[in-house]
Amino acid sequence: MSHPLNIRGGRVIDPASGRDEVADLFVADGKFTAAPAPDAVEIDARGLVVCPGLIDMHVHLREPGHGAKETIATGTRAAAAGGFTSVVAMPNTNPVADHPGIIAWMEERAAETGLVNVFPTGAITVGSQGEQLAPIGAMASAGIVAVTDDGRCVQSHEVMRRAAEYAGMFGLPVLDHCQDASLAGPEALIHEGFWSTLLGLPGWPRMAEEIIVARDAMLSAATGTKIHCQHLSSAGSVRLLREAKAQGIALSGEVCPHHIALTDEALQGYDTSFKMNPPLREQSDIDALLGGIADGTIEILATDHAPHAVYEKEVEFAAAPFGIVGLETAVGIFCDILLHRQQVVDLPRLVAMLTINPARLLGLDRGTLATGAPGDVTILDPDREWTVDKEKFASKGRNTPFHGWKLRGRAVRTIVGGQTVWEVSA
Ligand SMILES: [Zn+2]
């Protein structure tokens, strides 16, 4: 049992209740309490932001099956180091998390080795092959918080419709990696545009993403099921999402750090640290993503933390796997770009996009500082300047495009269930 905590004098931001004030926050027996405990550990949070523990709803922990890339132990340490108290694990493991036995195994493994909360998702289709629906009901009973075939978008609209109907019966949202395979074939490597032409690399057009966003809007409207578009990268997707939400459709979207920090111009050097799916696009897309965040069209921020072993990325461009790590740089990138440089959100909005908004979508009892809720807290220093050093990552992955970047804003302490699991020294 952890010691009670009295977190003193910080700027307490709890978007779930609209609270934003300099105050004390108390945790005892792993939950928030209204009054301080006499034998508590005192934490001085003066000059810092005290907010609900951050939730990353898009994380690849790689276990079971890809322990050379990451494990639940190392991935959750990376989460803690980045300020996240909860991660939502994608099911594209080996074997694919497409039945309740694997979900139970992951939950046990997370309880044994995880440093933060792990919420599993289940595959939409068996083996994420896009053909036969996975046993979503049985996986719901086993504790999944959503279904997704992330990495392999379900191409059949009929299968996706049945998935939305089936998931909706259990109140589960469907998360979609929006990508039409006929427009973005298996050979596509980067965004289709000026740089793909110049570099001679096959490209993905924006509409490969946008067509599926439009499809998902229609399926959500038809079924009433919440469909969430993962890692949006294209300006047109933001427009489609905005229109769908204006019609009252339960469609939502998330944005990842790299898609607002980098354009496809970064591919000039054929550096595989910039190879991801969906790809880096153009400045006009970044502007649209920022606009979508500013006007509330996009309500969730996530990382798509996708670790790979160093040797896997140190190959010719076409042969390298897609994806970058994100857990340990996300808070820095989001604070630096959204809060300081572009000023598209204020702190309460930024906190909401990383806490209560994903918690509400997924039905988690997290993302709030309400009395009685699990005592997950992130203490932020939004002005702290630091330099990204990939060699110091807790993740096994070193595949980041942000090595050496100077960022403003960092999580300085991560508390899960009243227990400090990570602290950055002064
Ligand atoms: Zn994906």
Side-chain angles (χ1 to χ4, degrees):
M1 188 52 70
S2 61
H3 258 284
L5 303 177
N6 295 340
I7 304 168
R8 301 285 192 183
R11 179 179 168 191
V12 175
I13 297 179
D14 183 19
S17 64
R19 187 177 177 197
D20 183 359
E21 59 181 347
V22 173
D24 300 335
L25 185 71
F26 313 112
V27 190
D29 295 331
K31 291 179 164 41
F32 295 115
T33 56
D39 58 337
V41 174
E42 298 285 327
I43 295 173
D44 181 3
R46 285 175 296 174
L48 301 171
V49 169
V50 177
C51 65
L54 306 183
I55 300 165
D56 184 353
M57 67 170 286
H58 195 150
V59 173
H60 297 275
L61 292 174
R62 304 300 194 199
E63 195 179 2
H66 298 292
K69 298 175 192 280
E70 194 80 290
T71 63
I72 291 172
T74 59
T76 57
R77 268 154 192 77
F84 293 94
T85 60
S86 295
V87 295
V88 175
M90 294 298 111
N92 62 338
T93 47
N94 185 14
V96 172
D98 63 0
H99 65 83
I102 297 177
I103 304 303
W105 185 89
M106 283 186 66
E107 286 167 338
E108 272 174 39
R109 190 81 176 151
E112 281 166 15
T113 67
L115 199 58
V116 307
N117 309 302
V118 175
F119 294 101
T121 58
I124 296 172
T125 60
V126 173
S128 284
Q129 295 297 307
E131 289 162 9
Q132 186 190 342
L133 286 182
I136 294 174
M139 291 194 292
S141 302
I144 59 167
V145 298
V147 290
T148 176
D149 275 356
D150 183 38
R152 298 186 67 148
C153 177
V154 175
Q155 297 299 298
S156 161
H157 311 320
E158 163 64 9
V159 170
M160 196 63 170
R161 176 189 173 178
R162 299 300 169 206
E165 288 171 345
Y166 191 8
M169 289 167 60
F170 301 93
L172 293 174
V174 178
L175 320 180
D176 200 8
H177 175 129
C178 300
Q179 200 157 66
D180 182 279
S182 63
L183 282 164
E187 71 285 351
L189 295 172
I190 68 171
H191 168 64
E192 180 183 291
F194 176 83
W195 287 104
S196 67
T197 308
L198 199 79
L199 299 171
L201 297 173
W204 270 289
R206 291 184 181 90
M207 64 180 161
E209 176 175 303
E210 294 159 3
I211 274 178
I212 299 296
V213 173
R215 177 227 19 210
D216 288 349
M218 292 177 200
L219 291 179
S220 178
T223 62
T225 298
K226 291 193 248 181
I227 303 184
H228 176 77
C229 303
Q230 301 177 288
H231 44 42
L232 291 177
S233 67
S234 137
S237 298
V238 179
R239 195 183 66 242
L240 288 162
L241 177 57
R242 185 179 290 123
E243 288 169 3
K245 290 179 80 167
Q247 293 172 44
I249 296 170
L251 194 72
S252 57
E254 76 192 21
V255 164
C256 300
H258 40 281
H259 289 129
I260 54 169
L262 296 160
T263 67
D264 61 344
E265 193 178 351
L267 273 316
Q268 286 181 72
Y270 296 92
D271 182 340
T272 59
S273 298
F274 298 94
K275 182 180 176 185
M276 60 274 286
N277 173 5
L280 300 175
R281 298 201 191 267
E282 300 178 26
Q283 188 58 46
S284 56
D285 298 289
I286 292 181
D287 294 342
L289 292 170
L290 294 175
I293 292 169
D295 73 5
T297 299
I298 292 157
E299 295 176 75
I300 290 171
L301 301 172
T303 67
D304 192 9
H305 178 79
H308 294 291
V310 172
Y311 66 84
E312 293 177 291
K313 278 284 200 179
E314 284 183 346
V315 294
E316 62 178 297
F317 194 83
F322 294 99
I324 60 168
V325 290
L327 284 166
E328 292 169 81
T329 48
V331 166
I333 297 282
F334 287 138
C335 284
D336 200 77
I337 294 178
L338 298 177
L339 204 56
H340 299 306
R341 281 200 274 146
Q342 301 293 333
Q343 300 180 357
V344 291
V345 291
D346 57 12
L347 257 172
R349 277 277 308 283
L350 183 69
V351 169
M353 294 179 82
L354 290 160
T355 58
I356 191 63
N357 295 358
R360 280 191 183 132
L361 175 70
L362 301 166
L364 309 181
D365 61 342
R366 313 275 158 170
T368 170
L369 300 175
T371 297
D376 297 349
V377 182
T378 300
I379 302 183
L380 298 170
D381 184 347
D383 292 311
R384 181 161 175 148
E385 293 183 359
W386 61 290
T387 303
V388 177
D389 182 353
K390 65 181 180 182
E391 301 308 332
K392 292 188 178 153
F393 282 170
S395 169
K396 283 192 179 185
R398 297 288 178 271
N399 47 317
T400 177
F402 302 122
H403 180 64
W405 280 38
K406 288 185 173 52
L407 300 173
R408 186 171 158 213
R410 190 169 195 182
V412 293
R413 187 190 285 258
T414 309
I415 298 168
V416 177
Q419 202 128 34
T420 295
V421 295
W422 197 273
E423 193 181 353
V424 175
S425 51

